[in-house]
Amino acid sequence: MAAFYILLSCLLYVFLVAVSEVDATALTTAIGPNERLCFYTDVDKAGEKIGFYFAVQSGGSFDIDFEVKDPNDKVLLDGVRERQGDYVLTANTIGEYAFCFENDMSTLTEKLIDFDIMVESEPRRDPPAKPGQIAEQTSALEESIFKLNGMLLNIKRTQKYFHTRENRGFDTVKSTMNRLFWYALLESLGVVGMAILQVYILQTFFTKTGRKYKV
């Protein structure tokens, strides 16, 4: 019974350590035409991992320009007309990192973007030793926790993928409906215009030198 409580305590400890070592930010933002937006995150110590994910949810061809800079304004990552990206980089410099999006390619279309910025440190900390604790069981339990964490991250990425697909599909349907509406409106105006033109032509055809003939 005591071994069970020891394993339970180790499980809670490892879980709390894994949670406390991750600092993440998930945002959704709209970027207007010819607009540049930058977001920032702080790194407290060298060697931490920075996870950067983004996906264009709606607008135009679902593409955006992006750029990642370190505290010394050195470009670490950049891309042109990217639809989405998922990157992990090591922060070798302590300070403020910039994540910028630029919508220069669009002069009229607004872009909606989902993105995550995650600063993570993954030290394998051993739980405090206690009387009667079995090291092999603790190690196996810790490995199981990290495997579960990896599986949860994969599920999260899959959910993000389907969320992006759904938003892009909805935006495409909305754009198609708008095009059909304006096409139908122009078609109706064309039919009305042709009818008025035909009446005018027929009226002109039966008018000669100011005299009208009845038919």
Side-chain angles (χ1 to χ4, degrees):
M1 193 67 177
F4 172 76
Y5 286 112
I6 291 174
L7 290 176
L8 183 60
S9 300
C10 294
L11 175 64
L12 292 175
Y13 177 83
V14 174
F15 178 75
L16 290 175
V17 168
V19 172
S20 62
E21 291 299 324
V22 178
D23 181 17
T25 301
L27 296 171
T28 299
T29 184
I31 302 179
N34 298 319
E35 185 179 5
R36 178 183 174 90
L37 286 179
C38 292
F39 301 87
Y40 303 90
T41 188
D42 290 322
V43 173
D44 298 329
K45 59 181 179 180
E48 289 188 332
K49 299 294 183 181
I50 299 179
F52 176 49
Y53 166 84
F54 73 92
V56 183
Q57 304 294 321
S58 64
S61 300
F62 309 108
D63 55 359
I64 198 74
D65 298 343
F66 77 94
E67 194 175 58
V68 179
K69 292 183 178 181
D70 68 1
N72 299 322
D73 284 337
K74 179 182 177 182
V75 178
L76 302 178
L77 290 172
D78 62 351
V80 178
R81 295 181 179 274
E82 297 288 342
R83 297 167 66 94
Q84 66 183 62
D86 192 356
Y87 306 95
V88 177
L89 57 138
T90 302
N92 296 318
T93 306
I94 298 175
E96 192 175 62
Y97 285 74
F99 302 82
C100 300
F101 298 101
E102 196 165 4
N103 191 20
D104 274 345
M105 79 285 293
S106 296
T107 57
L108 298 174
T109 306
E110 183 182 73
K111 304 291 178 66
L112 184 67
I113 299 177
D114 279 357
F115 67 95
D116 287 346
I117 301 173
M118 180 175 63
V119 179
E120 181 177 7
S121 180
E122 296 182 348
R124 294 282 183 116
R125 297 180 181 176
D126 295 329
K130 294 183 179 180
Q133 182 176 354
I134 302 175
E136 290 77 8
Q137 292 180 352
T138 302
S139 177
L141 182 61
E142 185 178 1
E143 290 296 331
S144 299
I145 293 298
F146 280 101
K147 286 181 181 179
L148 288 174
N149 184 43
M151 294 171 64
L152 289 175
L153 289 177
N154 288 332
I155 293 174
K156 184 179 179 181
R157 290 192 182 96
T158 303
Q159 288 178 335
K160 288 180 179 178
Y161 170 76
F162 284 112
H163 176 68
T164 301
R165 287 287 302 271
E166 180 184 6
N167 286 339
R168 289 179 179 176
F170 179 76
D171 186 73
T172 302
V173 170
K174 185 170 65 173
S175 176
T176 303
M177 290 178 63
N178 288 334
R179 292 179 183 179
L180 289 175
F181 171 77
W182 288 111
Y183 176 78
L185 181 61
L186 291 176
E187 186 180 26
S188 300
L189 292 176
V191 171
V192 173
M194 287 296 297
I196 295 175
L197 182 61
Q198 288 177 352
V199 171
Y200 174 76
I201 291 175
L202 288 175
Q203 186 179 12
T204 305
F205 180 76
F206 290 105
T207 302
K208 185 177 180 182
T209 63
R211 300 177 61 185
K212 296 183 179 179
Y213 299 92
K214 293 183 179 180
V215 179

